[in-house]
Amino acid sequence: MTTLAASSEADDILSASRSGRGRIVAGVPADVEVIVVGGGPGGSATAALLAEMGHEVLILDKARFPRHKACSEYINPGGVAVLERLGAMAEIDALGPHRMAAMRVFAPGGRSFLADYDGVEAGRTALGLSRYRLDHLLLRRAAAAGATVVEGAHVRGLLIEGGVVRGVEVTIDGTRQTIRARLVVGADGRHSVVTRALGIDASPSVLEQTGLVAHYRGVTGLDRFGEMHVGRGGYGGLAPLEDGLTNVAFVSPARRVAARDGGTLAYFEAGIASLPRMAGRLAGATMEGTVRGIGPMAHRATRVAGDGYLLVGDAASFLDPFTGEGIYAALRAAELAAPVASAALRRGEVTVRSLVPYGAARRRVFTAKGAVCWIVQGFIHQPPLMDYVTRRLDERAALGRQLASVLGNIGPAAPALSPLFLARLLRP
Ligand SMILES: Cc1cc2nc3c(=O)[nH]c(=O)nc-3n(C[C@H](O)[C@H](O)[C@H](O)COP(=O)(O)OP(=O)(O)OC[C@H]3O[C@@H](n4cnc5c(N)ncnc54)[C@H](O)[C@@H]3O)c2cc1C
Protein backbone atom coordinates (compact mmCIF):
# COMPACT_ATOMS: atom_id res chain seq x y z
CA MET A 1 0.00 0.00 0.00
CA THR A 2 1.29 3.47 -0.80
CA THR A 3 0.23 6.44 1.27
CA LEU A 4 1.28 10.03 1.10
CA ALA A 5 0.97 11.43 4.59
CA ALA A 6 1.24 14.99 5.71
CA SER A 7 -0.41 16.75 8.59
CA SER A 8 -2.78 19.49 7.45
CA GLU A 9 -2.00 19.06 3.78
CA ALA A 10 -2.60 15.31 3.49
CA ASP A 11 -5.81 15.58 1.46
CA ASP A 12 -4.28 18.12 -0.84
CA ILE A 13 -1.29 15.90 -1.53
CA LEU A 14 -3.39 12.80 -2.06
CA SER A 15 -5.61 14.59 -4.54
CA ALA A 16 -2.60 16.05 -6.32
CA SER A 17 -1.16 12.56 -6.63
CA ARG A 18 -4.40 10.94 -7.81
CA SER A 19 -5.07 13.64 -10.36
CA GLY A 20 -1.60 13.12 -11.76
CA ARG A 21 -0.54 16.70 -11.12
CA GLY A 22 2.68 15.44 -9.49
CA ARG A 23 5.49 15.26 -12.03
CA ILE A 24 9.25 15.20 -12.08
CA VAL A 25 11.00 18.56 -12.00
CA ALA A 26 13.89 18.59 -14.44
CA GLY A 27 17.28 18.01 -12.84
CA VAL A 28 16.01 16.62 -9.52
CA PRO A 29 16.44 12.85 -9.15
CA ALA A 30 13.27 10.78 -8.62
CA ASP A 31 15.06 8.10 -6.61
CA VAL A 32 18.06 8.56 -4.31
CA GLU A 33 19.75 6.70 -1.49
CA VAL A 34 19.25 9.37 1.23
CA ILE A 35 16.99 12.42 1.40
CA VAL A 36 17.79 14.99 4.08
CA VAL A 37 14.83 17.29 4.72
CA GLY A 38 16.27 20.62 5.89
CA GLY A 39 19.68 22.18 5.33
CA GLY A 40 20.21 23.76 8.77
CA PRO A 41 23.21 22.69 10.89
CA GLY A 42 21.76 19.24 11.66
CA GLY A 43 20.82 18.44 8.07
CA SER A 44 23.95 19.84 6.45
CA ALA A 45 26.29 18.08 8.88
CA THR A 46 24.47 14.75 8.50
CA ALA A 47 24.47 15.10 4.72
CA ALA A 48 28.17 15.99 4.60
CA LEU A 49 29.14 13.01 6.77
CA LEU A 50 27.01 10.55 4.77
CA ALA A 51 28.31 11.92 1.47
CA GLU A 52 31.89 11.56 2.74
CA MET A 53 31.05 7.95 3.62
CA GLY A 54 30.18 7.41 -0.04
CA HIS A 55 26.39 7.69 0.05
CA GLU A 56 24.20 9.45 -2.48
CA VAL A 57 22.55 12.32 -0.58
CA LEU A 58 19.91 14.85 -1.61
CA ILE A 59 19.23 17.86 0.66
CA LEU A 60 15.84 19.53 0.21
CA ASP A 61 15.32 22.91 1.89
CA LYS A 62 12.34 25.19 1.42
CA ALA A 63 14.53 28.28 1.93
CA ARG A 64 17.05 29.84 -0.40
CA PHE A 65 20.45 30.38 1.18
CA PRO A 66 21.92 32.46 2.63
CA ARG A 67 18.89 32.96 4.86
CA HIS A 68 18.39 34.32 8.36
CA LYS A 69 17.17 32.07 11.18
CA ALA A 70 15.62 33.17 14.48
CA CYS A 71 18.44 32.20 16.83
CA SER A 72 20.74 33.86 19.38
CA GLU A 73 23.62 32.72 17.15
CA TYR A 74 25.81 31.54 20.00
CA ILE A 75 27.70 28.29 19.38
CA ASN A 76 28.75 26.77 22.70
CA PRO A 77 32.23 25.26 23.23
CA GLY A 78 30.88 21.75 22.64
CA GLY A 79 29.48 22.92 19.30
CA VAL A 80 32.81 24.49 18.40
CA ALA A 81 34.49 21.14 19.14
CA VAL A 82 32.11 19.35 16.73
CA LEU A 83 32.80 21.97 14.05
CA GLU A 84 36.51 21.29 14.56
CA ARG A 85 35.97 17.54 14.14
CA LEU A 86 33.93 18.24 10.99
CA GLY A 87 36.93 20.17 9.63
CA ALA A 88 34.91 23.39 9.29
CA MET A 89 36.80 25.69 11.64
CA ALA A 90 39.30 27.16 9.17
CA GLU A 91 36.45 28.37 6.94
CA ILE A 92 34.45 29.55 9.96
CA ASP A 93 37.42 31.51 11.32
CA ALA A 94 37.71 33.22 7.94
CA LEU A 95 34.19 34.63 8.50
CA GLY A 96 35.41 36.50 11.60
CA PRO A 97 33.21 34.99 14.34
CA HIS A 98 33.37 36.57 17.79
CA ARG A 99 35.16 34.37 20.35
CA MET A 100 33.59 34.36 23.82
CA ALA A 101 35.66 32.99 26.70
CA ALA A 102 32.68 33.09 29.05
CA MET A 103 29.01 33.82 29.50
CA ARG A 104 27.94 36.14 32.33
CA VAL A 105 24.53 35.26 33.73
CA PHE A 106 22.65 37.97 35.64
CA ALA A 107 19.89 37.01 38.08
CA PRO A 108 16.78 39.21 38.47
CA GLY A 109 18.20 40.81 41.65
CA GLY A 110 21.39 41.89 39.83
CA ARG A 111 23.87 39.31 41.13
CA SER A 112 25.85 37.55 38.40
CA PHE A 113 27.82 34.37 37.81
CA LEU A 114 30.48 33.84 35.16
CA ALA A 115 30.27 30.59 33.19
CA ASP A 116 33.98 30.70 32.40
CA TYR A 117 34.78 28.15 29.69
CA ASP A 118 38.40 29.24 29.50
CA GLY A 119 38.61 28.56 33.26
CA VAL A 120 37.30 25.01 32.73
CA GLU A 121 39.85 24.26 30.03
CA ALA A 122 42.34 26.85 28.79
CA GLY A 123 41.53 28.06 25.29
CA ARG A 124 37.93 26.77 25.22
CA THR A 125 35.59 29.42 23.81
CA ALA A 126 32.09 29.82 22.46
CA LEU A 127 31.52 31.52 19.09
CA GLY A 128 29.14 34.22 17.95
CA LEU A 129 28.41 33.90 14.23
CA SER A 130 25.25 34.81 12.33
CA ARG A 131 23.18 31.89 11.10
CA TYR A 132 23.11 33.72 7.76
CA ARG A 133 26.82 32.90 7.45
CA LEU A 134 27.10 29.67 9.47
CA ASP A 135 24.26 27.79 7.81
CA HIS A 136 25.26 28.82 4.31
CA LEU A 137 28.81 27.67 4.96
CA LEU A 138 27.70 24.28 6.33
CA LEU A 139 25.34 23.79 3.38
CA ARG A 140 28.12 24.61 0.90
CA ARG A 141 30.39 22.15 2.71
CA ALA A 142 27.75 19.43 2.35
CA ALA A 143 27.59 20.16 -1.38
CA ALA A 144 31.40 20.10 -1.61
CA ALA A 145 31.35 16.70 0.12
CA GLY A 146 29.13 15.41 -2.69
CA ALA A 147 25.54 16.03 -1.55
CA THR A 148 23.07 17.45 -4.06
CA VAL A 149 21.30 20.51 -2.66
CA VAL A 150 17.91 21.71 -3.89
CA GLU A 151 16.83 25.05 -2.42
CA GLY A 152 13.26 26.29 -2.59
CA ALA A 153 12.16 22.65 -2.20
CA HIS A 154 9.25 22.52 0.25
CA VAL A 155 8.64 19.02 1.61
CA ARG A 156 4.89 18.59 2.15
CA GLY A 157 4.69 15.04 3.40
CA LEU A 158 6.15 11.55 3.39
CA LEU A 159 5.73 8.63 1.05
CA ILE A 160 4.89 5.70 3.34
CA GLU A 161 4.48 2.13 2.04
CA GLY A 162 3.40 -0.62 4.40
CA GLY A 163 4.42 1.50 7.39
CA VAL A 164 7.90 2.14 5.97
CA VAL A 165 9.03 5.64 4.98
CA ARG A 166 10.05 5.38 1.31
CA GLY A 167 10.48 9.01 0.30
CA VAL A 168 8.97 12.47 0.36
CA GLU A 169 6.40 14.56 -1.43
CA VAL A 170 7.93 17.91 -2.31
CA THR A 171 6.99 21.09 -4.11
CA ILE A 172 9.78 22.59 -6.20
CA ASP A 173 9.14 25.72 -8.25
CA GLY A 174 5.41 25.24 -7.77
CA THR A 175 5.46 21.66 -9.02
CA ARG A 176 4.75 18.67 -6.78
CA GLN A 177 6.73 15.50 -7.13
CA THR A 178 7.52 12.34 -5.24
CA ILE A 179 11.15 11.48 -4.57
CA ARG A 180 11.91 8.00 -3.31
CA ALA A 181 14.76 7.18 -0.93
CA ARG A 182 16.05 4.31 1.18
CA LEU A 183 16.47 6.68 4.13
CA VAL A 184 14.75 9.98 4.93
CA VAL A 185 16.51 12.17 7.50
CA GLY A 186 14.14 14.62 9.18
CA ALA A 187 16.27 17.70 9.86
CA ASP A 188 13.50 20.21 9.29
CA GLY A 189 13.59 21.94 12.63
CA ARG A 190 11.07 22.84 15.27
CA HIS A 191 8.00 22.76 12.99
CA SER A 192 9.05 19.47 11.40
CA VAL A 193 6.78 18.20 8.64
CA VAL A 194 8.46 14.81 9.00
CA THR A 195 7.46 14.35 12.66
CA ARG A 196 3.94 15.64 12.01
CA ALA A 197 3.47 13.34 9.02
CA LEU A 198 4.58 10.40 11.17
CA GLY A 199 2.30 11.43 14.05
CA ILE A 200 5.22 11.44 16.49
CA ASP A 201 5.11 15.10 17.46
CA ALA A 202 4.86 15.47 21.25
CA SER A 203 5.82 19.03 22.02
CA PRO A 204 5.67 19.80 25.75
CA SER A 205 2.87 22.14 26.77
CA VAL A 206 4.46 23.23 30.05
CA LEU A 207 7.20 25.41 28.59
CA GLU A 208 5.59 27.48 25.86
CA GLN A 209 8.08 30.27 25.31
CA THR A 210 8.56 32.57 22.34
CA GLY A 211 12.02 33.80 21.37
CA LEU A 212 12.48 37.14 19.59
CA VAL A 213 15.86 38.18 18.20
CA ALA A 214 17.42 41.09 16.32
CA HIS A 215 20.84 42.34 15.26
CA TYR A 216 22.21 45.56 16.78
CA ARG A 217 25.28 47.63 15.99
CA GLY A 218 27.03 49.66 18.69
CA VAL A 219 26.34 47.47 21.76
CA THR A 220 28.97 48.25 24.41
CA GLY A 221 30.74 46.45 27.26
CA LEU A 222 30.74 42.85 26.03
CA ASP A 223 34.22 42.23 24.61
CA ARG A 224 35.10 38.57 25.35
CA PHE A 225 31.85 37.67 27.14
CA GLY A 226 28.29 37.07 26.10
CA GLU A 227 25.55 37.84 28.61
CA MET A 228 22.24 36.41 29.80
CA HIS A 229 19.87 38.62 31.82
CA VAL A 230 17.08 36.91 33.73
CA GLY A 231 14.12 39.10 34.62
CA ARG A 232 10.74 38.54 36.20
CA GLY A 233 8.77 38.42 32.94
CA GLY A 234 11.34 36.82 30.66
CA TYR A 235 15.04 36.72 29.95
CA GLY A 236 17.37 38.34 27.46
CA GLY A 237 20.64 37.42 25.81
CA LEU A 238 23.50 39.30 24.17
CA ALA A 239 25.93 37.52 21.86
CA PRO A 240 28.57 39.49 19.96
CA LEU A 241 28.86 38.34 16.33
CA GLU A 242 31.04 39.02 13.29
CA ASP A 243 31.41 42.51 11.74
CA GLY A 244 30.65 44.40 14.98
CA LEU A 245 27.07 43.11 15.19
CA THR A 246 25.47 41.83 18.39
CA ASN A 247 22.59 39.39 18.59
CA VAL A 248 19.96 40.62 21.05
CA ALA A 249 17.30 38.17 22.22
CA PHE A 250 14.24 38.35 24.45
CA VAL A 251 12.40 35.20 25.52
CA SER A 252 9.03 35.29 27.28
CA PRO A 253 5.84 33.21 27.62
CA ALA A 254 4.23 32.54 24.23
CA ARG A 255 0.76 33.46 25.56
CA ARG A 256 2.02 36.95 26.53
CA VAL A 257 3.53 37.49 23.10
CA ALA A 258 0.28 36.36 21.46
CA ALA A 259 -1.78 38.71 23.67
CA ARG A 260 0.48 41.76 23.13
CA ASP A 261 -1.22 45.10 22.45
CA GLY A 262 1.15 46.64 19.92
CA GLY A 263 3.44 45.21 17.27
CA THR A 264 6.28 42.73 17.71
CA LEU A 265 8.94 45.47 17.68
CA ALA A 266 7.23 47.38 20.51
CA TYR A 267 6.90 44.17 22.55
CA PHE A 268 10.57 43.31 21.95
CA GLU A 269 11.75 46.78 22.96
CA ALA A 270 9.56 46.76 26.08
CA GLY A 271 11.03 43.36 26.99
CA ILE A 272 14.56 44.73 26.73
CA ALA A 273 13.61 47.82 28.72
CA SER A 274 12.38 45.48 31.49
CA LEU A 275 15.98 44.23 31.86
CA PRO A 276 17.82 47.43 32.92
CA ARG A 277 21.41 46.10 32.76
CA MET A 278 20.82 44.73 29.29
CA ALA A 279 19.10 47.93 28.18
CA GLY A 280 22.17 49.83 29.40
CA ARG A 281 24.38 47.86 26.99
CA LEU A 282 22.08 48.90 24.15
CA ALA A 283 22.02 52.63 24.94
CA GLY A 284 23.21 54.28 21.74
CA ALA A 285 23.05 51.05 19.69
CA THR A 286 20.91 50.76 16.56
CA MET A 287 18.93 47.80 15.26
CA GLU A 288 19.83 46.42 11.83
CA GLY A 289 17.14 44.50 9.97
CA THR A 290 14.00 43.21 11.62
CA VAL A 291 12.92 41.33 14.74
CA ARG A 292 12.60 37.59 14.04
CA GLY A 293 10.76 35.20 16.28
CA ILE A 294 9.67 31.66 16.84
CA GLY A 295 7.31 30.22 19.39
CA PRO A 296 6.43 28.12 21.14
CA MET A 297 10.00 26.90 20.84
CA ALA A 298 10.00 23.57 22.70
CA HIS A 299 9.61 20.48 20.54
CA ARG A 300 10.00 16.75 21.02
CA ALA A 301 9.38 13.68 18.90
CA THR A 302 8.31 10.46 20.61
CA ARG A 303 10.77 8.43 18.48
CA VAL A 304 14.02 9.48 16.81
CA ALA A 305 14.19 6.65 14.27
CA GLY A 306 11.94 4.11 12.61
CA ASP A 307 11.58 2.08 9.43
CA GLY A 308 13.13 4.22 6.70
CA TYR A 309 13.71 7.40 8.71
CA LEU A 310 15.64 9.10 11.45
CA LEU A 311 15.54 12.58 13.01
CA VAL A 312 18.33 15.02 13.91
CA GLY A 313 18.37 18.48 15.48
CA ASP A 314 15.25 20.32 16.58
CA ALA A 315 13.06 17.89 14.65
CA ALA A 316 14.04 15.32 17.30
CA SER A 317 14.15 17.57 20.35
CA PHE A 318 14.57 21.15 21.50
CA LEU A 319 13.74 22.73 24.84
CA ASP A 320 14.82 26.35 25.21
CA PRO A 321 17.73 28.55 24.13
CA PHE A 322 18.74 29.65 27.68
CA THR A 323 21.31 26.88 28.01
CA GLY A 324 22.55 27.55 24.45
CA GLU A 325 23.05 24.05 23.06
CA GLY A 326 20.65 23.74 20.10
CA ILE A 327 23.34 24.08 17.44
CA TYR A 328 25.66 21.76 19.39
CA ALA A 329 22.89 19.16 19.71
CA ALA A 330 22.07 19.33 15.99
CA LEU A 331 25.72 18.92 14.98
CA ARG A 332 26.38 16.21 17.57
CA ALA A 333 23.28 14.30 16.44
CA ALA A 334 24.72 14.30 12.92
CA GLU A 335 27.90 12.72 14.26
CA LEU A 336 25.87 10.07 16.07
CA ALA A 337 23.43 9.40 13.21
CA ALA A 338 25.76 9.17 10.21
CA PRO A 339 27.73 6.01 11.12
CA VAL A 340 24.56 4.17 12.21
CA ALA A 341 22.72 5.22 9.04
CA SER A 342 25.68 4.30 6.85
CA ALA A 343 25.93 0.81 8.36
CA ALA A 344 22.17 0.29 7.89
CA LEU A 345 22.31 1.46 4.26
CA ARG A 346 25.24 -0.84 3.49
CA ARG A 347 23.39 -3.80 4.97
CA GLY A 348 20.38 -2.85 2.85
CA GLU A 349 18.27 -2.84 5.99
CA VAL A 350 17.11 0.64 7.05
CA THR A 351 14.76 -0.51 9.77
CA VAL A 352 13.80 0.54 13.25
CA ARG A 353 16.01 -2.34 14.45
CA SER A 354 19.10 -1.36 12.50
CA LEU A 355 18.76 2.25 13.69
CA VAL A 356 18.45 1.33 17.39
CA PRO A 357 22.12 2.24 18.08
CA TYR A 358 21.34 5.84 17.10
CA GLY A 359 18.65 6.16 19.77
CA ALA A 360 20.95 4.52 22.30
CA ALA A 361 23.80 6.90 21.44
CA ARG A 362 21.47 9.88 21.81
CA ARG A 363 20.37 8.73 25.24
CA ARG A 364 24.01 8.33 26.29
CA VAL A 365 25.00 11.78 25.02
CA PHE A 366 21.90 13.94 25.58
CA THR A 367 19.79 12.60 28.46
CA ALA A 368 21.74 13.97 31.43
CA LYS A 369 22.16 17.40 29.83
CA GLY A 370 18.45 17.43 29.05
CA ALA A 371 17.70 16.92 32.75
CA VAL A 372 20.09 19.75 33.68
CA CYS A 373 18.28 22.02 31.20
CA TRP A 374 14.94 21.31 32.88
CA ILE A 375 16.46 22.10 36.31
CA VAL A 376 17.86 25.38 34.95
CA GLN A 377 14.39 26.22 33.61
CA GLY A 378 13.07 25.66 37.15
CA PHE A 379 15.59 28.22 38.44
CA ILE A 380 14.97 30.93 35.85
CA HIS A 381 11.21 30.74 36.34
CA GLN A 382 11.55 31.28 40.12
CA PRO A 383 13.30 34.66 40.54
CA PRO A 384 14.13 34.25 44.28
CA LEU A 385 15.62 30.81 43.58
CA MET A 386 17.58 32.18 40.60
CA ASP A 387 18.96 34.97 42.81
CA TYR A 388 19.96 32.44 45.46
CA VAL A 389 21.57 29.94 43.07
CA THR A 390 23.44 32.69 41.20
CA ARG A 391 24.91 33.96 44.47
CA ARG A 392 26.02 30.43 45.40
CA LEU A 393 27.64 29.91 42.00
CA ASP A 394 29.40 33.25 42.23
CA GLU A 395 30.73 32.50 45.72
CA ARG A 396 31.82 28.92 45.06
CA ALA A 397 34.26 28.93 42.15
CA ALA A 398 34.50 25.13 41.90
CA LEU A 399 30.71 24.78 41.56
CA GLY A 400 30.66 27.55 38.97
CA ARG A 401 33.36 25.83 36.91
CA GLN A 402 31.52 22.51 37.09
CA LEU A 403 28.31 24.10 35.85
CA ALA A 404 30.15 26.04 33.11
CA SER A 405 31.61 22.75 31.90
CA VAL A 406 28.13 21.20 31.73
CA LEU A 407 26.40 24.22 30.19
CA GLY A 408 29.14 24.59 27.57
CA ASN A 409 29.07 20.86 26.74
CA ILE A 410 32.75 20.68 27.62
CA GLY A 411 32.46 17.83 30.12
CA PRO A 412 29.75 15.29 30.96
CA ALA A 413 26.48 16.56 32.43
CA ALA A 414 25.85 13.72 34.89
CA PRO A 415 27.97 15.20 37.73
CA ALA A 416 25.63 18.22 37.85
CA LEU A 417 22.77 15.83 38.64
CA SER A 418 24.55 14.20 41.56
CA PRO A 419 22.94 14.76 44.99
CA LEU A 420 26.31 16.08 46.20
CA PHE A 421 26.44 18.80 43.53
CA LEU A 422 22.84 19.82 44.09
CA ALA A 423 23.33 19.83 47.89
CA ARG A 424 26.41 22.07 47.55
CA LEU A 425 24.48 24.38 45.24
CA LEU A 426 21.35 24.64 47.36
CA ARG A 427 22.70 24.31 50.93
CA PRO A 428 22.35 27.64 52.80
C1 LIG B 1 14.96 32.32 19.63
C2 LIG B 1 15.95 31.19 19.56
C3 LIG B 1 17.25 31.39 19.96
C4 LIG B 1 18.16 30.34 19.88
N1 LIG B 1 19.45 30.56 20.25
C5 LIG B 1 20.35 29.58 20.18
C6 LIG B 1 21.72 29.81 20.48
O1 LIG B 1 22.13 30.93 20.79
N2 LIG B 1 22.57 28.77 20.41
C7 LIG B 1 22.16 27.53 20.04
O2 LIG B 1 22.99 26.61 20.00
N3 LIG B 1 20.88 27.28 19.70
C8 LIG B 1 19.98 28.28 19.75
N4 LIG B 1 18.70 28.05 19.37
C9 LIG B 1 18.33 26.73 18.87
C10 LIG B 1 18.86 26.54 17.45
O3 LIG B 1 18.40 27.59 16.62
C11 LIG B 1 18.37 25.20 16.90
O4 LIG B 1 18.56 24.21 17.88
C12 LIG B 1 19.11 24.81 15.62
O5 LIG B 1 18.83 25.74 14.60
C13 LIG B 1 18.69 23.42 15.19
O6 LIG B 1 19.21 23.13 13.92
P1 LIG B 1 18.43 22.19 12.90
O7 LIG B 1 19.36 21.94 11.78
O8 LIG B 1 17.85 21.05 13.63
O9 LIG B 1 17.16 23.03 12.44
P2 LIG B 1 17.03 24.45 11.75
O10 LIG B 1 18.23 25.26 12.00
O11 LIG B 1 15.71 24.98 12.18
O12 LIG B 1 16.99 24.13 10.20
C14 LIG B 1 15.88 23.50 9.63
C15 LIG B 1 15.92 23.73 8.14
O13 LIG B 1 14.84 22.98 7.58
C16 LIG B 1 14.20 23.75 6.59
N5 LIG B 1 12.82 23.28 6.52
C17 LIG B 1 11.86 23.36 7.47
N6 LIG B 1 10.73 22.80 7.05
C18 LIG B 1 10.97 22.34 5.79
C19 LIG B 1 10.18 21.67 4.83
N7 LIG B 1 8.91 21.35 5.07
N8 LIG B 1 10.74 21.37 3.63
C20 LIG B 1 12.03 21.69 3.38
N9 LIG B 1 12.82 22.34 4.26
C21 LIG B 1 12.29 22.64 5.45
C22 LIG B 1 14.32 25.19 7.07
O14 LIG B 1 14.24 26.10 5.99
C23 LIG B 1 15.70 25.18 7.73
O15 LIG B 1 16.71 25.59 6.84
C24 LIG B 1 17.76 29.07 19.42
C25 LIG B 1 16.44 28.87 19.01
C26 LIG B 1 15.54 29.91 19.07
C27 LIG B 1 14.14 29.69 18.61
Side-chain angles (χ1 to χ4, degrees), residues 126-400:
L127 286 185
L129 180 64
S130 67
R131 296 291 298 271
Y132 190 80
R133 296 255 169 90
L134 174 70
D135 290 18
H136 196 205
L137 172 69
L138 294 177
L139 189 67
R140 285 200 313 263
R141 285 182 57 83
T148 300
V149 179
V150 183
E151 300 177 40
H154 196 150
V155 171
R156 306 289 182 171
L158 296 176
L159 172 68
I160 301 173
E161 293 176 343
V164 180
V165 175
R166 300 280 191 203
V168 302
E169 183 77 3
V170 59
T171 306
I172 303 171
D173 292 335
T175 303
R176 287 180 191 280
Q177 71 178 83
T178 302
I179 307 178
R180 303 183 73 90
R182 287 164 61 201
L183 170 68
V184 172
V185 176
D188 49 342
R190 192 262 166 259
H191 299 289
S192 170
V193 161
V194 174
T195 59
R196 279 182 286 144
L198 287 163
I200 56 172
D201 206 305
S203 299
S205 54
V206 286
L207 193 70
E208 298 206 322
Q209 301 269 94
T210 291
L212 300 173
V213 299
H215 287 162
Y216 279 70
R217 190 173 294 283
V219 177
T220 52
L222 293 176
D223 192 20
R224 295 187 67 233
F225 300 163
E227 288 184 354
M228 301 299 290
H229 296 258
V230 180
R232 291 173 202 284
Y235 70 83
L238 297 172
L241 309 174
E242 75 273 17
D243 299 337
L245 289 174
T246 298
N247 182 298
V248 178
F250 181 67
V251 173
S252 60
R255 63 184 153 69
R256 282 206 4 236
V257 182
R260 70 189 180 279
D261 275 342
T264 307
L265 175 61
Y267 181 89
F268 180 70
E269 288 179 337
I272 291 167
S274 73
L275 301 165
R277 270 172 210 81
M278 180 158 148
R281 300 274 192 232
L282 268 67
T286 48
M287 187 188 288
E288 288 199 1
T290 55
V291 178
R292 293 185 182 81
I294 184 165
M297 295 181 286
H299 178 254
R300 190 176 72 81
T302 53
R303 292 194 301 272
V304 295
D307 292 334
Y309 74 91
L310 63 80
L311 307 173
V312 296
D314 284 5
S317 170
F318 179 69
L319 183 60
D320 185 89
F322 187 84
T323 36
E325 71 267 286
I327 298 169
Y328 157 80
L331 296 170
R332 187 79 184 96
E335 284 190 315
L336 302 177
V340 176
S342 178
L345 287 161
R346 288 194 197 294
R347 280 202 306 274
E349 191 202 330
V350 185
T351 59
V352 65
R353 222 178 124 96
S354 65
L355 297 174
V356 159
Y358 172 56
R362 284 185 64 96
R363 282 192 292 282
R364 217 171 39 246
V365 171
F366 295 134
T367 302
K369 177 73 185 283
V372 172
C373 292
W374 275 106
I375 292 172
V376 170
Q377 287 299 319
F379 293 159
I380 65 177
H381 284 90
Q382 298 293 330
L385 184 58
M386 184 69 192
D387 284 332
Y388 177 77
V389 165
T390 303
R391 181 166 59 78
R392 299 286 292 167
L393 287 166
D394 190 32
E395 287 167 354
R396 316 200 107 201
L399 279 185

